Amino acid sequence: MPTQPKLTRFNQNVLSKYQIYNSIFVTLPFDTITRTGTLLPLFHATCEKGYANKNDPTAIVETFFKKYQARRSPQSQIDLLFRFIQYIERQVVLFDAIEDAAFPVVNNMDGIGTLRSLKESVTKEKKIDTLRQYLEEFKVRIVLTAHPTQFYPGSVLGIITDLTEAIRANDLVKITDLLAQLGKTPFFKDKKPSPYDEAVSLIWYLENVFYKSFGTIYDYIQQNIFDGEQIENDIINIGFWPGGDRDGNPFVTPEITLKVAKRLRATVIKNYYRDARRLRRKLTFEGVEERIVVLETELWKIITNQNSNLTAENFASELEVIKNVLIKEHQSLYLSEVNSLLNKVHLFGFHFANLDIRQDSRKHAQFFNDMVDALLESGSDIFPKNYHDLSDKEQVKLLSKIKGEVDLSLIKDEETLKALNTMKAIRTIQGTNGEKAANRYIISNNQTALNVMQLFAMLKLVAFHDKLTVDIGPLFETITDLENAPAVMEELYTNPEYAKHLKSRGNKQTIMLGFSDGTKDGGYLMANWAIYKAKEALTAVSRKFNIKVIFFDGRGGPPARGGGKTHNFYASLGPTIEDKEVQLTIQGQTISSNFGTLESSQYNLEQLISSGIHNSISDRDLSMTSENREVMTDLAERSYKTYSDFKAHPKFISYLEHMSTLKYYAKTNIGSRPSKRGKAQGLVFEDLRAIPFVGSWSQLKQNVPGFYGVGTALKHYEDSGEFDKVRNLYNTSDFFKTLIENSMMSLSKSFFDLTRYMSEDPQYGEFWTIIYNEYETSKRLILKLTGYKELMEEEPAGKASIAVRESIVLPLLTIQQYALKKIQELEKAGVKPDDEEMKVYASMVTRSLFGNINASRNSA
């Protein structure tokens, strides 16, 4: 029987099941659910009809109550709106679970981009040796971050997991029970999670998903591409930020970092113990039974905090002995199970994930200067007395040769002491969990070589006196910093002491590039093009000095933060960009939606591996022609000017502050970090974090960072009669094509009818119209460019999924806008923020954020 089109599979296995199970949810025997479930479809229909008639959210809500609930008191109306919010949150969970359950059916698990497909194509082209050679050094690292873009508490994540399994099994009784449980389980978090809470939440994915999916992928590569031979390269590994990311998060302490590392170690050893117990039941023959019993006993000792000398190396060598005995004496019985466990030890060691430390360069400068001052005051000769008077170049030279040891009792500032103790914690973690457990330090907002050398010196003086076993990764974020990055790296590469350090680290240099703040700073096209050009320039300068550069992309969920179709992006890079490793951040809903189940995790990891390898073994030339580069540069610059002018509009900040949900993000209790960097009372653009910034546009259904400036840039070519140049760029550049496809996703998730009432606002009407006109121009010209009749025409199943999710949250967004409008009216009337009515509507806005965030799956 032929495979049905992906859209048909989606409609049959996702949409139809959602309609069936949602109808069961409506009929559950709880008064509040039953009444809400009956009224919500009426409210939904009122919303759809209202927006079709160009009505505003306030009119829609009032029409609904007048038509269907005329006898309700004002308080009863408020209560019903809150119940609608709660109900819609649960509809989103139900849809998530159904989509997760259908993932292996809707997506072709052996199709293009999977390892099976890759192997078949290289075998056909007689390139299997080339593939093996490439896989011996190629790596993919996904780095789980603590960025708060998903709010599900652990209890709800558990329900989603159980519900997914029940739906897959079509177990109606269990589904009904779980839906009832869902109806009664609270979603709201009363207090912010601690950084440790965030770490524990994400370790759940390591323990229950990645441990198995990574192992399955690695086993497949070993057995089917390397014919069972041992591979020295781990190929896939996990990075981890919760507990290590200090950038803007004062709650991440050295103690938290140590506690998270301990939890990671305990979790992976617990997984090994489970596997060892299963093996013990099978390996009941001479020469292996006693060995597996000893391993199981030693693992148990570690779990129960007893003394054990077992290390990851001992564990692996013992498994090798067992493996050899099985081959020689027991006809290789259960060999694959032993080999699979051995592969997991190779992948995860006793650390599970590589814990990164991250801090802002401005903070490092503060800590460093505080340390220098304390040392000078104590009479120490580590730094010359005139150190602060030296030029940057002189300071860099001095820091590269720095020697000595800092007595931390001299440091009086608590924040500086925490920062320096964190550096000591890195060494402690390396001692207990192995070097890979914590061997990278990211400097965000890196601008100069001095930023790097200040950290270099602190690490050596505080913790790593003999040999620095930590990689320092500068993060270049703004458009200016990206342009300056090659010069910064050349200065470091030509520094003899830093070059010596790199040599000790295998002549590898990790450089992180940030899409999030790049987009916030320079707009969509310029951020992506600036990163592309920076990668080319950084590749060239690194190759010049025989350094293998590793690019680590700070990608968020939505296209505006570098997300979208990530594997397409990596598959579009040409030979001028180093691509031996793919490293990227994964966060929020992107973790649960792309990697939340064994199937989705395996599928998306395979897509990343294949996309990274595709360029190097393909004969296709992905290099950009000089004409295409000229057009791309011009588009980016025109887009940048348009976005910069928009950002400089006098209403820009106040629009976000008064007309969006920006200031409510801090009240959601979904993350441990403050919602802005600085301590200024007012709203300062530079202090805005990318997540609430992008997320606020998403809640407005305007998605500005994902398209603003694209339309104006394209229009220049239309007006000048040179649109064929852009069309040629789109048809011949996979990079540009991927950008346009991701921008289409942002446009697809926009819905300006929701906020059309703002066009009449005396203060913000003109500003809203500017945004709307750019949206219309971008949409029209992207359709003209692609030749599509509608957005995302090339991905009908993805478009259908977005349409269902947008439909589910339409009433939620209406309630949100209704509440925002009420708050504005109360503010104009002089009502104070602590007034009860004001607090009720503020709570309504905050609660309405969650369902929309989760429904979008890549909204912030």
Side-chain angles (χ1 to χ4, degrees):
M1 186 177 174
T3 305
Q4 294 172 313
K6 191 173 181 179
L7 180 59
T8 304
R9 300 199 302 273
F10 173 84
N11 289 334
Q12 290 177 348
N13 295 280
V14 179
L15 185 56
S16 296
K17 284 191 176 182
Y18 173 70
Q19 290 164 346
I20 292 166
Y21 295 138
N22 190 44
S23 66
I24 294 172
F25 193 32
V26 171
T27 60
L28 287 174
F30 306 123
D31 287 346
T32 52
I33 292 178
T34 307
R35 290 201 301 266
T36 308
T38 305
L39 291 170
L40 184 56
L42 295 173
F43 183 53
H44 190 282
T46 307
C47 291
E48 287 186 325
K49 188 177 179 182
Y51 291 123
N53 292 331
K54 310 295 184 195
N55 292 336
D56 65 76
T58 304
I60 289 169
V61 172
E62 289 173 352
T63 298
F64 168 75
F65 282 120
K66 186 177 179 182
K67 190 172 180 180
Y68 299 108
Q69 297 285 296
R71 296 181 181 178
R72 278 188 183 268
S73 66
Q75 182 58 50
S76 180
Q77 289 180 3
I78 293 290
D79 291 343
L80 181 62
L81 292 178
F82 272 109
R83 289 213 306 275
F84 280 161
I85 292 170
Q86 292 167 343
Y87 190 94
I88 292 164
E89 286 171 346
R90 286 151 179 81
Q91 283 183 312
V92 172
V93 169
L94 175 59
F95 190 77
D96 280 350
I98 292 168
E99 203 162 39
D100 286 346
F103 189 93
V105 179
V106 174
N107 296 279
N108 186 352
M109 300 297 285
D110 295 322
I112 294 171
T114 63
L115 288 175
R116 187 181 294 273
S117 171
L118 179 66
K119 195 215 170 186
E120 286 175 358
S121 64
V122 297
T123 303
K124 190 177 177 181
E125 295 169 20
K126 298 183 178 174
K127 289 184 176 179
I128 193 76
D129 288 336
T130 307
L131 177 60
R132 282 183 193 139
Q133 191 178 348
Y134 196 76
L135 282 169
E136 281 167 1
E137 56 178 332
F138 175 73
K139 293 178 189 285
V140 169
R141 179 183 294 189
I142 59 170
V143 181
L144 308 187
T145 79
H147 296 341
T149 58
Q150 177 174 281
F151 89 102
Y152 290 142
S155 54
V156 175
L157 285 172
I159 294 171
I160 293 175
T161 302
D162 294 342
L163 193 54
T164 300
E165 290 174 7
I167 290 166
R168 193 170 290 161
N170 287 315
D171 187 339
L172 197 56
V173 174
K174 192 173 181 183
I175 291 167
T176 304
D177 287 346
L178 286 164
L179 289 175
Q181 182 186 350
L182 187 64
K184 285 179 165 287
T185 302
F187 278 40
F188 188 69
K189 291 182 179 179
D190 295 325
K191 60 179 183 178
K192 278 180 172 289
S194 70
Y196 183 70
D197 294 334
E198 290 173 329
V200 170
S201 294
L202 288 188
I203 288 171
W204 184 93
Y205 288 101
L206 298 185
E207 181 178 2
N208 295 285
V209 180
F210 292 122
Y211 181 78
K212 296 170 187 172
S213 63
F214 273 49
T216 301
I217 290 171
Y218 197 81
D219 290 349
Y220 179 88
I221 291 171
Q222 185 188 56
Q223 295 305 316
N224 294 279
I225 296 174
F226 284 86
D227 296 329
E229 294 174 17
Q230 188 64 40
I231 319 165
E232 292 305 314
N233 182 23
D234 57 9
I235 302 176
I236 41 178
N237 54 67
I238 311 168
F240 202 76
W241 275 17
D245 183 8
R246 285 159 169 68
D247 184 9
N249 193 338
F251 308 114
V252 180
T253 63
E255 293 75 25
I256 290 283
T257 302
L258 290 166
K259 196 175 173 185
V260 169
K262 187 177 179 182
R263 179 68 177 246
L264 284 165
R265 183 175 190 265
T267 304
V268 77
I269 289 172
K270 188 164 64 173
N271 278 23
Y272 292 153
Y273 174 73
R274 289 188 192 121
D275 281 356
R277 276 184 67 84
R278 281 191 283 269
L279 273 176
R280 181 181 175 178
R281 295 188 63 171
K282 295 178 177 180
L283 302 181
T284 53
F285 15 92
E286 193 177 340
V288 291
E289 183 177 24
E290 59 275 18
R291 288 183 180 277
I292 197 69
V293 167
V294 169
L295 286 179
E296 183 194 349
T297 303
E298 291 302 312
L299 290 167
W300 178 249
K301 282 182 184 176
I302 297 172
I303 291 169
T304 54
N305 296 313
Q306 300 175 55
N307 286 332
S308 171
N309 294 322
L310 186 68
T311 63
E313 291 75 22
N314 299 150
F315 190 23
S317 62
E318 273 299 291
L319 288 172
E320 283 284 2
V321 172
I322 290 171
K323 180 178 164 183
N324 290 330
V325 173
L326 290 176
I327 293 168
K328 289 176 184 175
E329 300 177 22
H330 300 291
Q331 292 77 47
S332 298
L333 192 58
Y334 298 126
L335 180 65
S336 62
E337 286 92 332
V338 174
N339 203 57
S340 186
L341 179 53
L342 186 58
N343 284 342
K344 290 186 178 79
V345 178
H346 181 53
L347 290 175
F348 305 120
F350 271 13
H351 61 281
F352 216 162
N354 306 63
L355 183 62
D356 284 345
I357 310 299
R358 183 173 79 129
Q359 182 57 281
D360 190 285
S361 65
R362 292 162 292 193
K363 280 291 181 185
H364 280 148
Q366 174 191 323
F367 305 145
F368 177 81
N369 289 328
D370 191 38
M371 181 188 76
V372 172
D373 291 343
L375 287 169
L376 291 175
E377 198 176 314
S378 72
S380 166
D381 60 357
I382 293 176
F383 290 93
K385 290 178 182 175
N386 68 336
Y387 176 80
H388 292 305
D389 299 324
L390 300 176
S391 68
D392 282 9
K393 283 195 179 298
E394 289 170 326
Q395 287 185 4
V396 165
K397 186 177 179 182
L398 189 148
L399 294 178
S400 69
K401 299 177 180 178
I402 204 82
K403 282 187 173 63
E405 190 169 337
V406 176
D407 178 2
L408 293 189
S409 67
L410 298 172
I411 309 298
K412 304 305 177 195
D413 183 79
E414 189 180 341
E415 203 179 358
T416 301
L417 194 58
K418 281 181 182 177
L420 300 181
N421 272 320
T422 295
M423 295 172 197
K424 294 191 86 164
I426 298 171
R427 180 142 196 175
T428 302
I429 293 166
Q430 288 190 0
T432 55
N433 296 12
E435 194 223 284
K436 287 183 179 179
N439 66 353
R440 185 164 71 179
Y441 201 126
I442 307 294
I443 308 172
S444 51
N445 191 47
N446 197 95
Q447 298 178 336
T448 65
L450 182 60
N451 292 152
V452 173
M453 295 314 296
Q454 284 177 339
L455 176 59
F456 181 81
M458 284 190 284
L459 285 165
K460 292 188 79 170
L461 293 173
V462 172
F464 296 88
H465 314 296
D466 306 319
K467 184 182 179 184
L468 181 56
T469 53
V470 178
D471 298 318
I472 298 174
L475 164 53
F476 300 102
E477 300 180 76
T478 67
I479 304 302
T480 303
D481 291 345
L482 288 166
E483 289 171 351
N484 294 337
V488 170
M489 296 315 300
E490 180 151 11
E491 186 179 345
L492 290 168
Y493 292 156
T494 53
N495 181 297
E497 295 302 317
Y498 190 77
K500 190 175 168 184
H501 165 65
L502 286 181
K503 190 173 182 182
S504 75
R505 305 298 293 163
N507 273 332
K508 293 180 181 179
Q509 172 67 58
T510 299
I511 299 175
M512 190 173 178
L513 303 161
F515 286 82
S516 301
D517 284 296
T519 305
K520 181 167 78 78
D521 179 54
Y524 179 68
L525 279 185
M526 178 55 92
N528 281 278
W529 183 232
I531 286 172
Y532 186 96
K533 288 196 298 180
K535 281 185 176 181
E536 287 189 317
L538 289 165
T539 296
V541 73
S542 299
R543 287 174 178 170
K544 176 182 170 185
F545 293 99
N546 295 316
I547 302 296
K548 179 185 165 186
V549 66
I550 297 162
F551 292 119
F552 174 23
D553 292 318
R555 305 180 77 90
R561 297 184 52 239
K565 299 167 188 175
T566 305
H567 51 273
N568 286 5
F569 174 84
Y570 286 112
S572 72
L573 304 177
T576 52
I577 293 175
E578 196 69 74
D579 61 355
K580 289 291 191 298
E581 293 198 26
V582 169
Q583 295 196 9
L584 69 158
T585 54
I586 307 285
Q587 59 203 31
Q589 321 95 307
T590 314
I591 297 173
S592 57
S593 62
N594 288 3
F595 300 93
T597 66
L598 290 173
E599 292 84 4
S600 64
S601 173
Q602 183 177 333
Y603 180 83
N604 285 301
L605 276 168
E606 289 189 18
Q607 293 286 327
L608 278 175
I609 293 169
S610 295
S611 64
I613 293 170
H614 180 78
N615 296 339
S616 296
I617 62 172
S618 170
D619 294 327
R620 189 171 164 224
D621 185 5
L622 292 170
S623 303
M624 268 204 182
T625 64
S626 56
E627 185 186 359
N628 277 350
R629 294 184 72 86
E630 194 178 312
V631 175
M632 185 70 231
T633 301
D634 187 59
L635 284 169
E637 287 174 354
R638 290 181 187 281
S639 174
Y640 182 43
K641 183 181 186 313
T642 304
Y643 178 76
S644 298
D645 290 348
F646 172 65
K647 208 169 62 171
H649 194 285
K651 298 294 183 190
F652 184 87
I653 290 292
S654 62
Y655 180 82
L656 275 175
E657 192 167 18
H658 298 292
M659 305 301 277
S660 83
T661 58
L662 183 68
K663 60 188 176 187
Y664 297 93
Y665 264 80
K667 302 173 184 177
T668 56
N669 292 334
I670 60 174
S672 65
R673 292 200 309 178
S675 60
K676 63 189 183 81
R677 282 189 171 88
K679 295 180 180 177
Q681 287 298 309
L683 194 59
V684 179
F685 182 78
E686 287 69 27
D687 288 343
L688 274 181
R689 292 198 174 280
I691 287 170
F693 175 74
V694 174
S696 296
W697 292 111
S698 173
Q699 294 284 331
L700 283 168
K701 286 295 156 190
Q702 293 177 356
N703 289 325
V704 159
F707 70 82
Y708 201 92
V710 176
T712 297
L714 291 174
K715 193 171 185 300
H716 165 77
Y717 283 84
E718 182 185 54
D719 291 346
S720 62
E722 296 182 304
F723 201 73
D724 58 313
K725 287 186 177 180
V726 188
R727 192 173 277 123
N728 181 63
L729 174 64
Y730 176 79
N731 290 330
T732 57
S733 166
D734 286 356
F735 171 73
F736 183 62
K737 189 172 188 177
T738 300
L739 291 190
I740 292 298
E741 286 175 353
N742 282 337
S743 193
M744 273 198 282
M745 187 188 294
S746 288
L747 291 165
S748 293
K749 292 184 178 183
S750 299
F751 181 62
F752 277 81
D753 285 344
L754 178 73
T755 55
R756 190 174 295 278
Y757 72 92
M758 294 181 187
S759 65
E760 306 296 326
D761 188 275
Q763 192 173 355
Y764 297 107
E766 181 199 344
F767 188 75
W768 182 92
T769 303
I770 290 170
I771 301 169
Y772 178 66
N773 288 341
E774 183 64 21
Y775 161 79
E776 283 290 319
T777 303
S778 299
K779 181 180 174 181
R780 178 179 69 80
L781 289 172
I782 281 179
L783 289 176
K784 179 178 178 178
L785 176 66
T786 58
Y788 296 160
K789 292 191 175 75
E790 55 184 31
L791 296 170
M792 291 185 70
E793 193 177 294
E794 89 293 358
E795 199 187 350
K799 181 181 174 66
S801 177
I802 289 172
V804 176
R805 290 175 176 278
E806 295 297 304
S807 177
I808 290 171
V809 297
L810 184 64
L812 190 69
L813 294 164
T814 304
I815 293 167
Q816 182 184 97
Q817 287 298 318
Y818 169 77
L820 282 169
K821 189 70 175 163
K822 286 289 185 184
I823 290 167
Q824 291 160 16
E825 289 170 2
L826 290 169
E827 284 174 341
K828 283 176 184 174
V831 176
K832 297 282 188 273
D834 58 354
D835 177 84
E836 279 307 311
E837 190 178 6
M838 184 74 92
K839 281 156 74 174
V840 166
Y841 285 116
S843 175
M844 192 177 284
V845 173
T846 304
R847 286 304 310 276
S848 67
L849 291 173
F850 303 141
N852 189 38
I853 287 172
N854 290 314
S856 294
R857 284 204 154 184
N858 66 357
S859 62

